[in-house]
Amino acid sequence: MHDLETFPTHLKSITPTEWSKLFELNDRILNSKSFGEMAGGEKIEENVSTFPYWKWSDITTEFNKTVHDMKLIVSFDWPDWEEGIQLLRDHKQAFQDLDEITLCKLMTVIVRADRFSDGTLVGALEDGTISKILSALKARIDHK
């Protein structure tokens, strides 16, 4: 994980081949019908049950692994990033005008938030937010 100071240098070091793995994954995301399902909640004994959780599909697991392997998760104060929260709440938001760092920060918010609010990543994949971010990121990278 890189902090915001070193992140621009890291982005420049990512090869076109590495980027293509992420962008090809977006094609599969767009064609996926399911990103996970609720699991758990089984009764163990009277008044005792397992805690329900989201069981990720293969594509969700692969996306999460890819962004971590590429070190696209940025270290910054994401819970207090009001601009990002507003961008993600606006489902009509077009991300094409955002720079690469902001787009990666948005992915960071989603991926990190999922650790505290299970299902955040599945929801962002289902509603198309991740695909919109990846499409905008691809346009920016291809333009350079």
Side-chain angles (χ1 to χ4, degrees), residues 70-84:
M70 292 179 69
K71 296 180 175 53
L72 294 177
I73 303 302
V74 189
S75 178
F76 75 106
D77 186 17
W78 62 269
D80 292 326
W81 185 40
E82 287 298 322
E83 175 191 3

Side-chain angles (χ1 to χ4, degrees), residues 25-144:
L25 187 59
N26 191 34
D27 293 336
R28 291 180 36 222
I29 289 169
L30 288 167
N31 291 312
S32 293
K33 296 190 183 339
S34 175
F35 299 100
E37 61 186 18
M38 288 300 294
E42 294 89 15
K43 185 176 179 177
I44 297 173
E45 59 185 66
E46 188 66 33
N47 297 321
V48 179
S49 299
T50 61
F51 201 77
Y53 64 95
W54 277 96
K55 181 178 177 187
W56 289 352
S57 68
D58 291 344
I59 192 77
T60 303
T61 301
E62 189 174 349
F63 169 78
N64 187 59
K65 182 179 181 341
T66 301
V67 295
H68 278 90
D69 288 351
M70 292 179 69
K71 296 180 175 53
L72 294 177
I73 303 302
V74 189
S75 178
F76 75 106
D77 186 17
W78 62 269
D80 292 326
W81 185 40
E82 287 298 322
E83 175 191 3
I85 293 167
Q86 293 306 316
L87 288 168
L88 291 171
R89 282 187 181 151
D90 181 2
H91 292 287
K92 295 177 187 169
Q93 174 68 41
F95 297 114
Q96 290 86 346
D97 296 331
L98 302 176
D99 61 64
E100 298 93 333
I101 294 171
T102 303
L103 293 165
C104 288
K105 285 171 67 176
L106 290 170
M107 281 194 299
T108 297
V109 169
I110 294 166
V111 170
R112 297 288 295 143
D114 190 78
R115 295 188 69 183
F116 301 96
S117 180
D118 200 25
T120 301
L121 179 54
V122 170
L125 286 159
E126 285 178 347
D127 72 13
T129 300
I130 292 291
S131 285
K132 285 197 258 181
I133 292 169
L134 292 176
S135 294
L137 187 57
K138 182 180 186 319
R140 299 294 274 182
I141 298 302
D142 287 351
H143 181 70
K144 288 191 172 186

